[in-house]
Amino acid sequence: MYSIRQFVRASTLEEAYQTLIAGRNNTVLGGCMWLRLGRRAIGTAIDLSALGLDQITEKEDTIEIGAMVSLRQLETSALLQQYCGTLFRDAVSGIVGTQFRNTATVGGSVYGRFGFSDVLTALLALPAQVKLYHRGIVSIEEFAALPYEKDIIECIILPKRKIPAAYQHLRYQATDFPVLTCAVGLLDDTYRISVGARPGRATLSYSGAAPDADAITQGLKFSSNMRASADYRRKVCPVLIRRALEEVQSCR
């Protein structure tokens, strides 16, 4: 568990950011679902719940997913299903359980860049952008590769276009952490393929036309942990990629 010395419910993003950078141990609170699993002494905990970041908003050319949107909102959003099919539903429905997904947030899941993150894998298959309060707007692949720094995610920005997309994962049992994840998106004849839980953080593994699952797999680095060996993941990877490609191609 974690301990908190002070608690601030920020009234503006500027207040939240200035509080965040004022102390080494100051931390933004998301859903706290992963934070609570560790042991940490937090100087000032910063609550963003009063900033209106808990909405999925349709704009003229984009869709904005606020940082405080829950994974359950991501899973059930009719707007996201209209433009991305079942990508997000399939990506998050295996994460622990409904009660957990009602609390865990998109911002926390993305900012953490966890090696097991289904959410990050799904987003990398889309031409998504991350809006950060201090750094500004960066592509999701650029954000995924950044080192950790003190900043606040405001929202995830998606183009308001129909994008055939699919998500595949291997879990030994429902609600468990994934052994391997894969997502594929197709926009203007360009495939975006991401692979995560290798067990490193997800990356945009391929962007282009006519993807070859075996060639993509050969270019990836896999490691072993308690869930699976590197060799096992390497053998599973092209299977998941092909399944996702078939699903995307059937939706064209």
Side-chain angles (χ1 to χ4, degrees), residues 191-221:
Y191 289 90
R192 292 173 61 96
I193 300 176
S194 60
V195 179
R198 302 183 322 274
R201 69 173 67 168
T203 59
L204 181 61
S205 306
Y206 178 83
S207 179
D212 182 307
D214 291 319
I216 294 169
T217 300
Q218 289 174 9
L220 293 173
K221 180 180 178 180

Short mmCIF file of all heavy atoms in Angstrom, two decimals, residues 191-221:
data_model
loop_
_atom_site.label_atom_id
_atom_site.label_comp_id
_atom_site.label_asym_id
_atom_site.label_seq_id
_atom_site.Cartn_x
_atom_site.Cartn_y
_atom_site.Cartn_z
N TYR A 191 -1.17 -0.40 -42.80
CA TYR A 191 -1.40 -1.19 -41.60
C TYR A 191 -0.50 -0.68 -40.47
O TYR A 191 0.68 -0.38 -40.68
CB TYR A 191 -1.07 -2.66 -41.85
CG TYR A 191 -2.05 -3.38 -42.75
CD1 TYR A 191 -1.86 -3.40 -44.13
CD2 TYR A 191 -3.16 -4.04 -42.23
CE1 TYR A 191 -2.75 -4.07 -44.97
CE2 TYR A 191 -4.06 -4.70 -43.06
CZ TYR A 191 -3.85 -4.72 -44.42
OH TYR A 191 -4.73 -5.37 -45.25
N ARG A 192 -1.08 -0.58 -39.30
CA ARG A 192 -0.32 -0.29 -38.07
C ARG A 192 -0.46 -1.50 -37.16
O ARG A 192 -1.58 -1.89 -36.80
CB ARG A 192 -0.85 0.96 -37.38
CG ARG A 192 -0.60 2.25 -38.14
CD ARG A 192 -1.30 3.42 -37.45
NE ARG A 192 -0.82 3.63 -36.09
CZ ARG A 192 0.13 4.52 -35.77
NH1 ARG A 192 0.69 5.27 -36.72
NH2 ARG A 192 0.50 4.68 -34.52
N ILE A 193 0.66 -2.10 -36.81
CA ILE A 193 0.65 -3.32 -36.00
C ILE A 193 1.49 -3.09 -34.75
O ILE A 193 2.66 -2.70 -34.84
CB ILE A 193 1.20 -4.52 -36.80
CG1 ILE A 193 0.33 -4.76 -38.05
CG2 ILE A 193 1.24 -5.78 -35.93
CD1 ILE A 193 0.84 -5.85 -38.96
N SER A 194 0.88 -3.32 -33.61
CA SER A 194 1.60 -3.19 -32.34
C SER A 194 1.60 -4.53 -31.61
O SER A 194 0.65 -5.31 -31.71
CB SER A 194 0.94 -2.12 -31.46
OG SER A 194 -0.41 -2.46 -31.17
N VAL A 195 2.67 -4.76 -30.89
CA VAL A 195 2.80 -5.99 -30.10
C VAL A 195 3.27 -5.60 -28.70
O VAL A 195 4.23 -4.83 -28.55
CB VAL A 195 3.80 -6.97 -30.74
CG1 VAL A 195 3.93 -8.23 -29.87
CG2 VAL A 195 3.37 -7.35 -32.15
N GLY A 196 2.59 -6.11 -27.70
CA GLY A 196 2.94 -5.80 -26.32
C GLY A 196 3.05 -7.05 -25.46
O GLY A 196 2.81 -8.16 -25.92
N ALA A 197 3.42 -6.83 -24.19
CA ALA A 197 3.60 -7.92 -23.21
C ALA A 197 4.64 -8.91 -23.68
O ALA A 197 4.49 -10.12 -23.49
CB ALA A 197 2.26 -8.61 -22.93
N ARG A 198 5.75 -8.41 -24.22
CA ARG A 198 6.80 -9.29 -24.78
C ARG A 198 7.86 -9.74 -23.77
O ARG A 198 8.70 -10.55 -24.21
CB ARG A 198 7.51 -8.58 -25.95
CG ARG A 198 6.56 -8.18 -27.05
CD ARG A 198 7.29 -7.54 -28.23
NE ARG A 198 8.40 -6.69 -27.85
CZ ARG A 198 8.27 -5.41 -27.53
NH1 ARG A 198 7.09 -4.83 -27.57
NH2 ARG A 198 9.31 -4.70 -27.18
N PRO A 199 8.02 -9.37 -22.56
CA PRO A 199 7.09 -8.62 -21.72
C PRO A 199 7.39 -7.12 -21.62
O PRO A 199 6.87 -6.47 -20.70
CB PRO A 199 7.25 -9.29 -20.37
CG PRO A 199 8.68 -9.70 -20.34
CD PRO A 199 9.04 -10.04 -21.75
N GLY A 200 8.15 -6.53 -22.51
CA GLY A 200 8.39 -5.10 -22.46
C GLY A 200 7.18 -4.31 -22.91
O GLY A 200 6.20 -4.86 -23.41
N ARG A 201 7.26 -2.98 -22.75
CA ARG A 201 6.14 -2.12 -23.13
C ARG A 201 5.84 -2.25 -24.61
O ARG A 201 6.72 -2.51 -25.42
CB ARG A 201 6.42 -0.66 -22.76
CG ARG A 201 7.50 -0.01 -23.59
CD ARG A 201 7.62 1.49 -23.30
NE ARG A 201 8.09 1.78 -21.96
CZ ARG A 201 8.50 2.99 -21.57
NH1 ARG A 201 8.46 4.01 -22.42
NH2 ARG A 201 8.93 3.19 -20.35
N ALA A 202 4.59 -2.06 -24.96
CA ALA A 202 4.16 -2.19 -26.35
C ALA A 202 4.85 -1.17 -27.24
O ALA A 202 5.18 -0.06 -26.81
CB ALA A 202 2.64 -2.02 -26.44
N THR A 203 5.08 -1.55 -28.50
CA THR A 203 5.67 -0.65 -29.48
C THR A 203 4.90 -0.77 -30.79
O THR A 203 4.22 -1.77 -31.04
CB THR A 203 7.14 -1.00 -29.76
OG1 THR A 203 7.22 -2.35 -30.25
CG2 THR A 203 8.00 -0.86 -28.51
N LEU A 204 4.99 0.27 -31.61
CA LEU A 204 4.47 0.19 -32.96
C LEU A 204 5.48 -0.65 -33.74
O LEU A 204 6.56 -0.19 -34.10
CB LEU A 204 4.32 1.58 -33.59
CG LEU A 204 3.76 1.61 -35.01
CD1 LEU A 204 2.37 1.01 -35.07
CD2 LEU A 204 3.76 3.03 -35.55
N SER A 205 5.13 -1.89 -34.00
CA SER A 205 6.08 -2.85 -34.55
C SER A 205 6.15 -2.81 -36.07
O SER A 205 7.13 -3.26 -36.66
CB SER A 205 5.68 -4.27 -34.10
OG SER A 205 5.56 -4.32 -32.69
N TYR A 206 5.10 -2.27 -36.72
CA TYR A 206 5.09 -2.23 -38.18
C TYR A 206 4.12 -1.16 -38.64
O TYR A 206 3.04 -0.98 -38.07
CB TYR A 206 4.66 -3.58 -38.76
CG TYR A 206 4.57 -3.59 -40.27
CD1 TYR A 206 5.70 -3.80 -41.05
CD2 TYR A 206 3.34 -3.38 -40.91
CE1 TYR A 206 5.61 -3.80 -42.45
CE2 TYR A 206 3.25 -3.38 -42.30
CZ TYR A 206 4.39 -3.59 -43.05
OH TYR A 206 4.31 -3.58 -44.42
N SER A 207 4.50 -0.43 -39.68
CA SER A 207 3.61 0.52 -40.32
C SER A 207 3.89 0.51 -41.82
O SER A 207 5.01 0.82 -42.24
CB SER A 207 3.82 1.93 -39.76
OG SER A 207 2.97 2.87 -40.40
N GLY A 208 2.91 0.07 -42.61
CA GLY A 208 3.13 -0.02 -44.05
C GLY A 208 2.08 -0.89 -44.71
O GLY A 208 1.05 -1.22 -44.12
N ALA A 209 2.36 -1.29 -45.94
CA ALA A 209 1.43 -2.12 -46.71
C ALA A 209 1.89 -3.57 -46.68
O ALA A 209 3.05 -3.87 -46.40
CB ALA A 209 1.36 -1.62 -48.16
N ALA A 210 0.96 -4.48 -46.98
CA ALA A 210 1.25 -5.92 -47.13
C ALA A 210 2.16 -6.47 -46.03
O ALA A 210 3.27 -6.91 -46.28
CB ALA A 210 1.88 -6.17 -48.50
N PRO A 211 1.70 -6.46 -44.80
CA PRO A 211 2.54 -6.95 -43.70
C PRO A 211 2.78 -8.45 -43.76
O PRO A 211 1.92 -9.21 -44.21
CB PRO A 211 1.73 -6.59 -42.45
CG PRO A 211 0.32 -6.52 -42.93
CD PRO A 211 0.38 -6.01 -44.33
N ASP A 212 3.96 -8.86 -43.30
CA ASP A 212 4.34 -10.27 -43.22
C ASP A 212 4.52 -10.59 -41.73
O ASP A 212 5.43 -10.09 -41.09
CB ASP A 212 5.64 -10.50 -43.99
CG ASP A 212 6.06 -11.97 -43.99
OD1 ASP A 212 6.17 -12.55 -42.89
OD2 ASP A 212 6.31 -12.51 -45.07
N ALA A 213 3.65 -11.44 -41.19
CA ALA A 213 3.66 -11.73 -39.76
C ALA A 213 4.99 -12.31 -39.30
O ALA A 213 5.49 -11.96 -38.23
CB ALA A 213 2.52 -12.69 -39.42
N ASP A 214 5.57 -13.20 -40.09
CA ASP A 214 6.84 -13.81 -39.69
C ASP A 214 7.97 -12.79 -39.70
O ASP A 214 8.82 -12.77 -38.79
CB ASP A 214 7.19 -14.97 -40.64
CG ASP A 214 6.24 -16.15 -40.47
OD1 ASP A 214 5.90 -16.47 -39.31
OD2 ASP A 214 5.82 -16.73 -41.49
N ALA A 215 8.00 -11.91 -40.71
CA ALA A 215 9.05 -10.90 -40.78
C ALA A 215 8.93 -9.90 -39.63
O ALA A 215 9.94 -9.48 -39.05
CB ALA A 215 8.98 -10.18 -42.12
N ILE A 216 7.69 -9.53 -39.29
CA ILE A 216 7.48 -8.61 -38.16
C ILE A 216 7.97 -9.24 -36.87
O ILE A 216 8.65 -8.60 -36.06
CB ILE A 216 5.99 -8.24 -38.05
CG1 ILE A 216 5.56 -7.43 -39.28
CG2 ILE A 216 5.72 -7.45 -36.78
CD1 ILE A 216 4.07 -7.25 -39.39
N THR A 217 7.66 -10.50 -36.68
CA THR A 217 8.08 -11.21 -35.47
C THR A 217 9.60 -11.28 -35.37
O THR A 217 10.17 -11.09 -34.28
CB THR A 217 7.49 -12.63 -35.46
OG1 THR A 217 6.06 -12.55 -35.49
CG2 THR A 217 7.93 -13.40 -34.22
N GLN A 218 10.27 -11.52 -36.48
CA GLN A 218 11.73 -11.61 -36.47
C GLN A 218 12.39 -10.30 -36.04
O GLN A 218 13.49 -10.30 -35.48
CB GLN A 218 12.23 -12.01 -37.86
CG GLN A 218 11.93 -13.45 -38.24
CD GLN A 218 12.30 -13.78 -39.67
OE1 GLN A 218 12.94 -12.97 -40.36
NE2 GLN A 218 11.88 -14.95 -40.14
N GLY A 219 11.70 -9.19 -36.27
CA GLY A 219 12.26 -7.90 -35.91
C GLY A 219 11.99 -7.48 -34.47
O GLY A 219 12.44 -6.39 -34.06
N LEU A 220 11.30 -8.31 -33.71
CA LEU A 220 10.95 -7.96 -32.34
C LEU A 220 11.84 -8.68 -31.33
O LEU A 220 12.34 -9.78 -31.59
CB LEU A 220 9.49 -8.35 -32.06
CG LEU A 220 8.43 -7.55 -32.83
CD1 LEU A 220 7.05 -8.16 -32.58
CD2 LEU A 220 8.44 -6.09 -32.42
N LYS A 221 12.02 -8.06 -30.19
CA LYS A 221 12.78 -8.66 -29.10
C LYS A 221 11.80 -9.23 -28.07
O LYS A 221 10.89 -8.54 -27.62
CB LYS A 221 13.68 -7.64 -28.43
CG LYS A 221 14.51 -8.21 -27.28
CD LYS A 221 15.38 -7.14 -26.65
CE LYS A 221 16.17 -7.72 -25.47
NZ LYS A 221 17.03 -6.68 -24.82
#
